[in-house]
């Protein structure tokens, strides 16, 4: 499964800073600087950017979004359209972090939740008429019947879905939000006020640390000192030039993204109305 630390950056012109590795961060750990922690990492309710992005590392999405903004394989290794019906073939042997194999009931439970009124994503799945997962010769096949064929559903809505472990959630809803048992390449190791820690037995970088630094200038200083390896859209724009000049230590990437910054003006205000 292709690992994506982050999806395409959420900005029209995105800036990512990468620091050459020094002695300040362990060689088996990537330290990522972020300005605010996610509200939750529970994929059922994570709607902010970092909650969604980190959730993709812990919980397997059915499909990923590629650099061309089209769906590409993730938990579903392949798929096919038959009219308005989409059939996804789930990779064999996919396991949750506690060792239990992902089964058809987990897929049915997952789709039922995302379509339910409990889900903040329910509006994205109103086009779904029915969904059903079954095991066929050792492979789980998820069949999604739509009211009409929709490439938007495959490329934009379906990537929202993260496979949920039915048994573990139903055993203890509150405990699940803290233990976060998924089937993604990284498992949740813990968090505190200053960091979130993930670990992997399969990725080239076994440890990820999301260092929460709320102050822009402090985040900038930590990046300069090499205490942060990677910062995506998290450094003051006027400071990017400081890193661009030090090509032997830093690399600045700029590339297209999805969303935008905007200014909202209230023209009913006595001053702004003029």
């Amino acid at each position: 499964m292709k690992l994506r630390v982050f999806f395409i950056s959420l900005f029209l012109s995105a800036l990512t800073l990468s620091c050459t590795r020094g002695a300040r961060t362990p060689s088996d750990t990537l330290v990522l600087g972020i300005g605010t922690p996610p509200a939750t990492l529970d994929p059922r309710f994570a709607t902010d950017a970092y909650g969604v992005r980190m959730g993709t590392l812990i919980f397997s999405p059915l499909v990923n979004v590629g650099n061309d903004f089209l769906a590409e394989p993730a938990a579903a290794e392949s798929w096919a359209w038959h009219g308005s019906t989409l059939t996804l073939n789930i990779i064999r042997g996919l396991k949750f972090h506690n060792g239990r194999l992902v089964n058809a009931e987990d897929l049915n439970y997952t789709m039922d939740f995302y379509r339910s009124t409990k889900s903040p994503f329910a509006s994205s799945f109103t086009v779904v008429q029915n969904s059903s997962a079954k095991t066929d010769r050792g492979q789980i096949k998820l069949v999604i019947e739509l009211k009409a064929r929709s490439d938007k559903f495959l490329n934009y809505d379906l990537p929202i879905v993260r496979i949920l472990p039915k048994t573990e959630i139903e055993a203890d809803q509150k405990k699940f939000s803290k233990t976060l048992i998924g089937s993604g390449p990284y498992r949740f190791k813990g968090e505190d006020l200053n960091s979130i820690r993930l670990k992997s037995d399969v990725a080239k970088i076994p440890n990820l640390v999301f260092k929460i630094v709320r102050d822009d200038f402090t985040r900038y200083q930590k990046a300069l000192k090499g205490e942060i390896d990677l910062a995506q859209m998290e450094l003051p724009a006027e400071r990017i030039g400081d890193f661009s000049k030090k090509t032997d230590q830093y690399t600045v990437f700029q590339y297209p993204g999805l969303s935008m910054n905007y200014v909202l003006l209230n023209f009913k205000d006595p001053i702004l109305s003029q």
Side-chain angles (χ1 to χ4, degrees), residues 12-263:
L12 290 177
S13 178
L15 292 171
T16 299
L17 169 72
S18 176
C19 175
T20 56
R21 185 164 298 283
R24 295 181 181 86
T25 57
S27 59
D28 64 348
T29 302
L30 185 70
V31 179
L32 303 97
I34 61 176
T36 55
T40 179
L41 290 176
D42 188 330
R44 297 174 297 171
F45 308 111
T47 57
D48 58 88
Y50 279 124
V52 172
R53 291 167 179 170
M54 292 185 203
T56 302
L57 299 175
I58 303 171
F59 298 89
S60 300
L62 289 176
V63 295
N64 271 328
V65 178
N67 292 335
D68 54 1
F69 305 113
L70 299 177
E72 62 180 26
E77 62 181 2
S78 62
W79 53 83
W81 285 101
H82 302 281
S84 59
T85 298
L86 178 64
T87 301
L88 299 104
N89 301 307
I90 308 303
I91 58 176
R92 300 172 188 266
L94 185 61
K95 293 183 179 181
F96 291 111
H97 299 148
N98 60 2
R100 183 173 71 81
L101 282 170
V102 174
N103 58 44
E105 278 302 302
D106 295 311
L107 271 296
N108 286 324
Y109 179 83
T110 296
M111 290 302 299
D112 287 346
F113 176 82
Y114 277 90
R115 295 176 61 197
S116 74
T117 55
K118 297 178 182 179
S119 171
F121 309 104
S123 61
S124 296
F125 297 91
T126 55
V127 69
V128 177
Q129 195 162 11
N130 187 41
S131 66
S132 177
K134 295 181 180 179
T135 302
D136 181 18
R137 288 174 288 186
Q139 183 169 55
I140 302 172
K141 292 183 177 293
L142 174 61
V143 179
I144 304 175
E145 299 175 23
L146 305 181
K147 296 174 184 176
R149 175 166 174 165
S150 170
D151 289 331
K152 172 184 174 293
F153 176 78
L154 173 61
N155 298 315
Y156 184 78
D157 298 323
L158 199 59
I160 295 171
V161 177
R162 312 282 186 265
I163 297 178
L164 304 173
K166 177 182 178 180
T167 303
E168 289 73 11
I169 292 177
E170 290 188 338
D172 195 328
Q173 295 266 353
K174 293 183 178 179
K175 182 180 179 182
F176 174 76
S177 293
K178 297 179 179 179
T179 55
L180 300 171
I181 299 173
S183 58
Y186 283 87
R187 60 184 184 275
F188 178 71
K189 290 296 293 181
E191 63 181 324
D192 53 41
L193 292 176
N194 300 312
S195 66
I196 297 170
R197 300 175 300 280
L198 308 182
K199 187 174 182 62
S200 176
D201 297 324
V202 297
K204 291 182 179 179
I205 302 174
N207 299 297
L208 296 182
V209 175
F210 294 87
K211 184 174 288 188
I212 303 164
V213 185
R214 292 171 173 80
D215 180 71
D216 285 351
F217 184 73
T218 304
R219 205 178 314 119
Y220 160 75
Q221 287 289 333
K222 287 184 177 294
L224 268 183
K225 294 176 181 178
E227 296 177 21
I228 292 174
D229 295 316
L230 183 69
Q232 184 180 36
M233 290 296 299
E234 286 289 2
L235 297 176
E238 66 273 13
R239 299 286 187 178
I240 296 300
D242 298 349
F243 298 98
S244 298
K245 296 173 184 176
K246 300 180 180 181
T247 56
D248 59 328
Q249 293 177 276
Y250 305 96
T251 303
V252 178
F253 299 94
Q254 186 169 352
Y255 48 91
L258 285 173
S259 64
M260 67 199 75
N261 283 354
Y262 61 90
V263 176

